[in-house]
Amino acid sequence: LAKTTQPISMDSYEGQEVNITCSHNNIATNDYITWYQQFPSQGPRFIIQGYKTKVTNEVASLFIPADRKSSTLSLPRVSLSDTAVYYCLPVGSNTGKLIFGQGTTLQVKP
Amino acid sequence: EADIYQTPRYLVIGTGKKITLECSQTMGHDKMYWYQQDPGMELHLIHYSYGVNSTEKGDLSSESTVSRIRTEHFPLTLESARPSHTSQYLCASSEYLPPGVQYFGPGTRLTVT
């Protein structure tokens, strides 16, 4: 399984764009890159998933370069309610199993 | 919005008691999962099921057991609770596609005294 590296924590201010980068140097050919968000005392929530290039939904954008060794989650104009832990997970298309790492704790300040 | 439910939300119980944590989903998902998460720590997969009568152990060894008699129901049982079992238990479900898109319940916070 691909090992991921992402910053332990990040700080931002309301209204700013936040980019969280995840490294996954040994990602497998059939792995999708999936991001989850988790608020305190709640279960994780799926945010976005992609294979390569750019994916955008109503919550975030995901940028994946051609070599797929990293990915960047972009949150536009964050608010205080975006304070959470964000997890980057490569997921095999044939297993669907999630291996959670430490994630990135994003603190949004007023 | 996903419909996956866990009961109880909070449970404080004494050592040696048998407990069952309930998890139900109304989405008709074949795949279901149990995760364990200590405060501020990573989630670890402890059990999963790919359908009725199918259960597998996850990546983290657990003394709990699970059963999958109905598609919508995936209960987790601890025969004899110990303080080391104190944790948050999260249930999730998914379809086969897209891979890795799981819907999580609100969790059960278990405290064993």
Side-chain angles (χ1 to χ4, degrees):
Chain A
L1 290 169
K3 177 175 164 49
T4 61
T5 303
Q6 48 183 126
I8 297 293
S9 64
M10 293 179 69
D11 288 340
S12 182
Y13 290 93
E14 282 191 291
Q16 289 187 331
E17 178 185 74
V18 171
N19 296 309
I20 305 174
T21 296
C22 177
S23 297
H24 28 77
N25 289 319
N26 58 339
I27 190 167
T29 302
N30 64 348
D31 281 356
Y32 286 77
I33 297 153
T34 310
W35 285 79
Y36 277 78
Q37 173 193 57
Q38 185 178 26
F39 298 114
S41 300
Q42 294 186 27
R45 182 177 76 110
F46 169 80
I47 300 176
I48 198 166
Q49 183 182 74
Y51 186 78
K52 59 182 176 181
T53 65
K54 178 182 174 182
V55 179
T56 298
N57 62 22
E58 65 278 5
V59 176
S61 293
L62 178 60
F63 301 91
I64 306 166
D67 65 5
R68 298 188 353 107
K69 292 183 183 299
S70 67
S71 60
T72 299
L73 175 74
S74 181
L75 304 171
R77 298 180 299 281
V78 294
S79 64
L80 296 176
S81 63
D82 292 315
T83 293
V85 180
Y86 292 83
Y87 298 97
C88 159
L89 305 96
V91 179
S93 60
N94 57 342
T95 68
K97 288 174 66 175
L98 301 180
I99 307 296
F100 286 86
Q102 284 187 297
T104 296
T105 299
L106 172 65
Q107 179 70 51
V108 180
K109 302 175 182 178
Chain B
E1 192 69 25
D3 295 318
I4 181 163
Y5 308 97
Q6 290 186 245
T7 57
R9 291 293 313 278
Y10 303 91
L11 179 62
V12 180
I13 201 161
T15 297
K17 300 290 187 183
K18 177 180 178 179
I19 58 172
T20 296
L21 307 184
E22 301 289 347
C23 176
S24 295
Q25 49 98 4
T26 59
M27 297 167 285
H29 289 166
D30 282 325
K31 291 185 171 185
M32 294 190 75
Y33 314 81
W34 276 103
Y35 293 84
Q36 183 175 345
Q37 184 179 32
D38 293 331
M41 304 298 286
E42 302 169 18
L43 288 91
H44 293 283
L45 179 68
I46 54 175
H47 299 283
Y48 61 98
S49 167
Y50 286 168
V52 170
N53 295 325
S54 150
T55 61
E56 301 286 345
K57 290 191 179 295
D59 305 309
L60 179 69
S61 176
S62 174
E63 294 169 348
S64 58
T65 59
V66 292
S67 62
R68 189 88 183 278
I69 298 172
R70 303 197 316 264
T71 297
E72 64 272 20
H73 194 214
F74 191 39
L76 180 146
T77 298
L78 277 165
E79 290 292 334
S80 180
R82 293 208 298 266
S84 61
H85 297 140
T86 294
S87 189
Q88 167 133 331
Y89 293 84
L90 290 155
C91 180
S93 72
S94 73
E95 297 176 314
Y96 277 87
L97 293 174
V101 179
Q102 296 182 12
Y103 299 92
F104 283 79
T108 294
R109 184 163 297 282
L110 172 67
T111 302
V112 183
T113 60

